[in-house]
Amino acid sequence: MMSAVFTDTLIEIRQEEVVQRRNAHRKWLAHVKRCAAQLFTIADEDGSESLDRAEILRLLFIIQKRQALVDRDQPIPNDSLTEVMVEMAQHSINIEHTLRAVLDWLRDSSQVSVRDFVHCIAQSHEPPQKEDTWSLERRVSKVQADLDALREELNGKLDHLIARLPPAA
């Protein structure tokens, strides 16, 4: 009885941790998406609701210039780009890395929409998801059981087909 209560308590604690981790991740992701949307608005100089390679390269150049000023302890403009840079830095998001990921992604298309831009930035900085060993083992066991059932089904169908073949002459 005591071990069952202990096990139930451990399971509840683990579930609470998973919920807390999931909520923290959702909050982080919402922040990243908000910053990415602001960055898109700043980079969209022509107001076309899409970014081309030149606009992203211009933004990357401006960010690199500002970073060089910061490295030399010189003042930088206090504008919306600086605010986004600070917000993203506070959440350990490297804007240069992010924009380079968007440029790599943009090789396949001529322009990127705000939705795709935000998605690309969120994906490029997605933290690794941790899972406990028990849940992984359960998932592996389920996949193995599904594969065993599929193998049995396919072997049955194969046996049925072989039985329907005419005898070799």
Side-chain angles (χ1 to χ4, degrees):
M1 177 68 178
M2 189 66 141
S3 64
V5 171
F6 179 71
T7 303
D8 288 344
T9 304
L10 282 177
I11 290 171
E12 287 176 19
I13 290 171
R14 174 57 81 190
Q15 289 173 344
E16 288 174 9
E17 288 174 357
V18 169
V19 168
Q20 288 174 352
R21 208 173 24 228
R22 189 178 306 131
N23 289 341
H25 175 70
R26 286 181 182 151
K27 187 177 179 181
W28 176 87
L29 191 58
H31 177 76
V32 170
K33 288 181 176 182
R34 190 182 84 249
C35 287
Q38 290 173 336
L39 199 58
F40 182 93
T41 303
I42 293 167
D44 188 20
E45 295 175 348
D46 59 4
S48 65
E49 299 287 323
S50 64
L51 296 180
D52 59 14
R53 193 170 181 79
E55 287 173 315
I56 295 172
L57 286 171
R58 274 193 297 274
L59 180 63
L60 186 58
F61 179 71
I62 292 168
I63 289 171
Q64 288 172 340
K65 280 177 52 178
R66 288 190 183 190
Q67 189 59 50
L69 291 172
V70 168
D71 291 344
R72 289 180 282 179
D73 290 330
Q74 294 181 355
I76 59 173
N78 188 15
D79 58 5
S80 57
L81 177 58
T82 302
E83 290 174 14
V84 171
M85 288 174 66
V86 169
E87 279 188 58
M88 292 181 94
Q90 288 172 343
H91 286 81
S92 302
I93 299 171
N94 183 330
I95 296 179
E96 288 184 54
H97 169 76
T98 299
L99 291 176
R100 290 183 195 285
V102 172
L103 283 172
D104 287 342
W105 183 83
L106 196 57
R107 288 181 184 166
D108 297 337
S109 91
S110 60
Q111 294 186 336
V112 62
S113 68
V114 65
R115 182 181 150 276
D116 292 337
F117 182 81
V118 169
H119 177 75
C120 186
I121 288 178
Q123 290 292 86
S124 71
H125 285 286
E126 188 73 26
Q129 297 294 314
K130 297 179 182 175
E131 285 192 62
D132 59 64
T133 306
W134 290 346
S135 66
L136 286 174
E137 287 175 356
R138 279 195 306 263
R139 287 177 43 202
V140 167
S141 295
K142 183 179 179 333
V143 168
Q144 286 175 338
D146 291 346
L147 287 173
D148 289 341
L150 184 60
R151 182 179 49 218
E152 289 297 319
E153 180 185 339
L154 290 174
N155 283 337
K157 288 180 179 181
L158 183 61
D159 291 342
H160 179 70
L161 287 173
I162 290 172
R164 292 180 60 193
L165 287 176

